[in-house]
Amino acid sequence: MLLLSHDLRLVRETADRVIVLEHGRAVDDGPTADVLGAGGAAPGNRPTATGSTATAPTATEPTAKASTAAGPTPTGPTAAGPTPTGPTATGLPAVRHRATRELLAAEGNTAAGGATAEGPGPATPGPAPESRAGVAATDIAVRRRSGDPLAGPVSMAFPPGDTIALLGPSGSGKTTFARALAGLTTPSSGEIRLDGRPLPRRIDRRTPTQRRAIQYVHQNSAGSFEEHRPVLAQLADTARLLRGLRRKEATAEAIEAADALGLDPALLHRTPDRLSGGQLQRCALVRALTARPALLVCDEVTSALDTVSRRQVLDALPRLLAPARTALLFISHDLPAVRALTEEAALFEGGRCVRRGPVGEILPAAWSGAPGSGDDEA
């Protein structure tokens, strides 16, 4: 089996050997326990992808994937590179390649749920315009053509500057409800308001100002880009068409946001097919953020990111939301990211919001009932 993954915990649980790639080259290689160590999770049991629990091996536990003290010492790939050694007594690997160290450092910081040394925590939002009430949904319900319910009725408000997570198992209605807010799925009943005024249920009936107000970033963003146009031109179109900026100003704003999210400006001159899934996911974030929306919906936006890119996004997103006091609706199974980004959480089950409150109160229920990662199709 060849496993391609950014999920270091999953790699530790399933792989015997790890190869770390950077810029198309293998820069680190060795037994999993030697390269990645025992991980930064707290001691004891942790949820697995099936909802069961597993205990992380320590550096002193002999397993099928870990070298014992009596085993052979791995050797480095070249004399110029660092010489890998086994895990230390703390469960962390000793000297590895810089790229490996960055992955592990980013993983440890996100698990702690705090800001990194490279960036501050959430920015303090500026004052909201007096007339702004933000986006509010009242009794939104979505049904199949047969009449069977898919989601709702759900009522939820998103005042300026609020950060709310939607949690729950795959198929619980999180994405269906969020798409209804954006007009991408037509609600069967209910009402959506922007600053107190009703919004058309379908996006094709909304004005440019109304479309700008709710921006949706999909889990798989590749299909939302034009195939043959450079990405930068597409990113600049948002501020140019929805906010009336001149092309030069819109382009500069897009480059600045992309840089904050860890994207090399040189990449933006490429067409979408020459970017990775994680790079396109961040480009989609840039495009949505430059609209300066009232509500930004992020649907599993960390799913295609390596730990370093993920840390950059978690650090930068609050600062990028602050200028317009954009509210954030964050749909995710990535619970450490939820803890880092949001203040409130809503738990979905069977298409309904069954519980809502401070994120610290809702996360334990979501953690006990949901896998650590996955795709939400409903």
Side-chain angles (χ1 to χ4, degrees):
M1 178 180 72
L2 177 63
L3 174 69
L4 308 179
S5 182
H6 297 306
D7 188 338
L8 302 190
R9 185 183 67 184
L10 177 64
V11 171
R12 290 187 185 96
E13 292 177 354
T14 58
D16 297 312
R17 192 172 190 85
V18 172
I19 300 174
V20 178
L21 300 180
E22 184 180 53
H23 304 309
R25 311 186 89 180
V27 296
D28 212 341
D29 183 358
T32 302
D34 289 355
V35 177
L36 299 183
N45 292 339
R46 63 177 186 273
T48 65
T50 60
S52 60
T53 59
T55 303
T58 66
T60 56
E61 289 177 349
T63 69
K65 298 172 186 172
S67 302
T68 64
T73 302
T75 58
T78 65
T83 301
T85 61
T88 66
T90 63
L92 296 173
V95 180
R96 306 299 311 186
H97 188 275
R98 172 194 49 76
T100 307
R101 297 197 305 272
E102 289 179 354
L103 291 173
L104 294 170
E107 178 194 35
N109 178 269
T110 303
T116 69
E118 287 82 357
T124 302
E130 292 181 5
S131 62
R132 284 188 59 187
V135 176
T138 304
D139 294 330
I140 290 296
V142 180
R143 297 180 180 87
R144 301 182 192 273
R145 291 184 179 178
S146 63
D148 294 334
L150 279 174
V154 176
S155 297
M156 197 172 293
F158 308 93
D162 266 24
T163 54
I164 302 171
L166 286 194
L167 307 176
S170 296
S172 61
K174 305 185 299 297
T175 291
T176 299
F177 170 67
R179 286 177 58 85
L181 290 175
L184 302 173
T185 294
T186 305
S188 307
S189 59
E191 185 178 58
I192 303 165
R193 286 180 172 266
L194 172 65
D195 296 332
R197 297 184 178 89
L199 278 179
R201 293 180 182 177
R202 288 172 42 174
I203 194 169
D204 59 356
R205 295 181 179 175
R206 296 180 182 178
T207 66
T209 299
Q210 291 171 334
R211 290 198 299 271
R212 169 190 170 186
I214 304 176
Q215 292 290 305
Y216 195 107
V217 181
H218 300 265
Q219 179 176 0
N220 182 3
S221 301
S224 66
F225 287 93
E226 296 179 46
E227 184 178 359
H228 301 297
R229 288 184 67 206
V231 169
L232 181 57
Q234 299 184 55
L235 301 185
D237 280 349
T238 302
R240 187 173 63 84
L241 298 176
L242 297 183
R243 290 171 51 207
L245 266 63
R246 295 183 178 181
R247 184 177 297 278
K248 183 177 180 180
E249 297 169 329
T251 300
E253 193 171 294
I255 292 174
E256 182 179 359
D259 182 66
L261 294 174
L263 286 167
D264 184 343
L267 295 174
L268 305 181
H269 297 280
R270 299 179 181 179
T271 52
D273 62 306
R274 298 180 59 201
L275 298 182
S276 71
Q279 289 166 340
L280 282 175
Q281 207 166 37
R282 282 177 285 168
C283 286
L285 262 177
V286 171
R287 182 174 57 189
L289 285 162
T290 54
R292 300 287 176 89
L295 175 64
L296 174 65
V297 181
C298 291
D299 193 347
E300 294 287 1
V301 297
T302 62
S303 61
L305 303 181
D306 61 78
T307 55
V308 174
S309 299
R310 180 169 166 271
R311 181 187 64 190
Q312 291 172 317
V313 169
L314 297 184
D315 284 346
L317 192 53
R319 300 196 300 275
L320 295 171
L321 294 170
R325 296 206 71 203
T326 298
L328 173 66
L329 180 60
F330 191 71
I331 304 171
S332 185
H333 298 292
D334 184 345
L335 302 189
V338 166
R339 185 181 294 108
L341 281 178
T342 61
E343 297 175 351
E344 291 187 72
L347 182 62
F348 270 52
E349 289 181 7
R352 291 176 176 266
C353 178
V354 297
R355 189 174 174 186
R356 181 174 176 179
V359 70
E361 295 179 7
I362 305 300
L363 272 179
W367 182 268
S368 63
S373 61
D375 296 336
D376 186 18
E377 298 295 342

